[in-house]
Amino acid sequence: MSKRPVRALIVSLGLVAVVAASTLLIGAASAGQDRAVFLQSYIWRNPNPAFGGMSAIDFADDGVNFVAVSDRTTIWRGQMRRDAQGRITEIVTSGPTKLHDRRGNPLGLLSGDSEGVALAPDGSVFVSFEGVPRVSLYTKDDGPGKLLPRPLAFKTMPLNGALESLAIDAHGALYTMPERSGGKTTPFPVWRYSDGQWTHPFSIPRDGDWLPTGADFGPDGRFYLLERDFWGLLGFRSRVQVFDISGDRISGGEVLFQTTVGMHDNLEGLSVWRDDSGAIRLTMVSDDNFSIFQRTEIVEYRISH
């Protein structure tokens, strides 16, 4: 081996050591005031070559049956099997099922980039897309998508910064927002779909580099927002805020937990539900970007009172 590859190897190993040490130091600075208690990190594996890129998840009310969406335009349904303490022991899935456009054609990479999912009470799903910003309804997973109206604001959203999150409230109204607001001091506009039309009732203030990646309404009727902060080679920080929505007003913004860099992978999807003890749980899924350096991680927190 020549000296140049040796030097390169030494530099690479040194960089890895610095990154690891930095992660440990940052991890040691964790705040202790979080209202959400960490429960579990479960690595979700599946041999299917289409598995990966999980960008959204939504549970039925039981915390067992779920639907998940990959950003490669596939939808997965399954069950999370748990032990007596409520910890995940196994994930069983059906699928994947390829998503289609309104004409019944399979979605491609340009027309796809499915990022958000909201499970309706009848089992149908709404999916939000980032590539061409829009929301579609799927009454059947393998059927054509019914395209919801597209306001002009959707058509002007930035590339790779559009409709990352999607949530449905108890009245059937949909809420979505772009991942990027256009500036570090520009609020994130929240769009609501109700009675056949989109409105922009309010915005959520932006906090530095925190970007929204997932959202859900909890069994308490409150709006939960998952956000991430990317730190390059060090990885990601994650946090969840909770808000109260009343008509065209939003209030609150309490941070339930905020992780240190590298504690979890690239968390993008959020589902909020109530467990058998009556506690509210936050279940999140990470997007591994189909990379060998990342993982599909299911992370759960319980809200303490």
Side-chain angles (χ1 to χ4, degrees):
M1 182 181 293
S2 68
K3 292 182 180 179
R4 183 171 297 177
V6 171
R7 286 197 208 98
L9 178 59
I10 292 173
V11 170
S12 298
L13 291 175
L15 179 59
V16 170
V18 169
V19 170
S22 300
T23 302
L24 288 174
L25 287 173
I26 295 171
S30 178
Q33 303 300 318
D34 295 340
R35 274 198 54 209
V37 178
F38 173 65
L39 296 178
Q40 182 183 14
S41 173
Y42 180 93
I43 305 304
W44 182 10
R45 297 182 175 90
N46 189 300
N48 193 300
F51 180 78
M54 295 299 174
S55 295
I57 190 169
D58 202 6
F59 275 107
D61 293 337
D62 56 6
V64 175
N65 295 283
F66 70 89
V67 59
V69 167
S70 165
D71 58 17
R72 299 288 179 89
T73 65
T74 57
I75 187 167
W76 304 68
R77 291 187 186 257
Q79 299 82 40
M80 292 190 184
R81 296 178 179 173
R82 301 174 181 270
D83 61 18
Q85 287 72 46
R87 292 174 58 85
I88 301 167
T89 58
E90 184 182 13
I91 298 179
V92 179
T93 61
S94 61
T97 302
K98 184 71 173 177
L99 291 173
H100 295 73
D101 64 18
R102 58 182 174 177
R103 298 181 180 86
N105 300 313
L107 291 172
L109 291 178
L110 293 178
S111 59
D113 198 3
S114 40
E115 294 286 350
V117 67
L119 181 61
D122 64 0
S124 59
V125 294
F126 294 90
V127 178
S128 64
F129 296 86
E130 192 170 45
V132 178
R134 68 195 188 281
V135 177
S136 292
L137 168 64
Y138 290 88
T139 56
K140 293 183 179 180
D141 293 354
D142 60 353
K146 179 183 177 182
L147 180 65
L148 272 58
R150 292 184 68 212
L152 179 61
F154 284 14
K155 302 175 184 179
T156 58
M157 286 181 179
L159 183 67
N160 196 34
L163 304 180
E164 186 87 12
S165 56
L166 185 66
I168 187 170
D169 70 10
H171 304 290
L174 294 171
Y175 290 75
T176 189
M177 56 194 298
E179 181 186 5
R180 298 188 181 277
S181 62
K184 287 192 176 183
T185 61
T186 305
F188 295 100
V190 178
W191 289 84
R192 178 172 60 203
Y193 183 77
S194 181
D195 298 325
Q197 63 178 353
W198 289 100
T199 58
H200 172 206
F202 47 77
S203 298
I204 292 178
R206 179 162 176 171
D207 180 10
D209 292 324
W210 288 103
L211 302 177
T213 61
D216 196 18
F217 282 89
D220 54 359
R222 306 183 79 191
F223 182 70
Y224 293 78
L225 182 66
L226 170 64
E227 299 170 293
R228 70 177 167 205
D229 179 14
F230 181 48
W231 281 46
L233 290 174
L234 293 178
F236 300 87
R237 291 196 300 164
S238 301
R239 76 177 186 184
V240 168
Q241 292 192 79
V242 63
F243 299 85
D244 293 295
I245 295 176
S246 178
D248 290 346
R249 296 188 177 185
I250 189 169
S251 60
E254 177 188 4
V255 176
L256 297 176
F257 77 86
Q258 181 172 307
T259 72
T260 52
V261 178
M263 181 172 177
H264 301 308
D265 208 291
N266 178 27
L267 298 182
E268 287 200 2
L270 169 68
S271 184
V272 185
W273 54 286
R274 195 181 300 277
D275 64 21
D276 292 339
S277 72
I280 289 179
R281 288 205 190 192
L282 313 174
T283 300
M284 289 150 282
V285 65
S286 70
D287 176 0
D288 68 350
N289 292 300
F290 289 89
S291 168
I292 61 173
F293 301 106
Q294 293 181 259
R295 60 195 183 276
T296 301
E297 181 183 14
I298 301 292
V299 175
E300 292 199 320
Y301 284 75
R302 181 184 67 244
I303 298 178
S304 61
H305 296 282

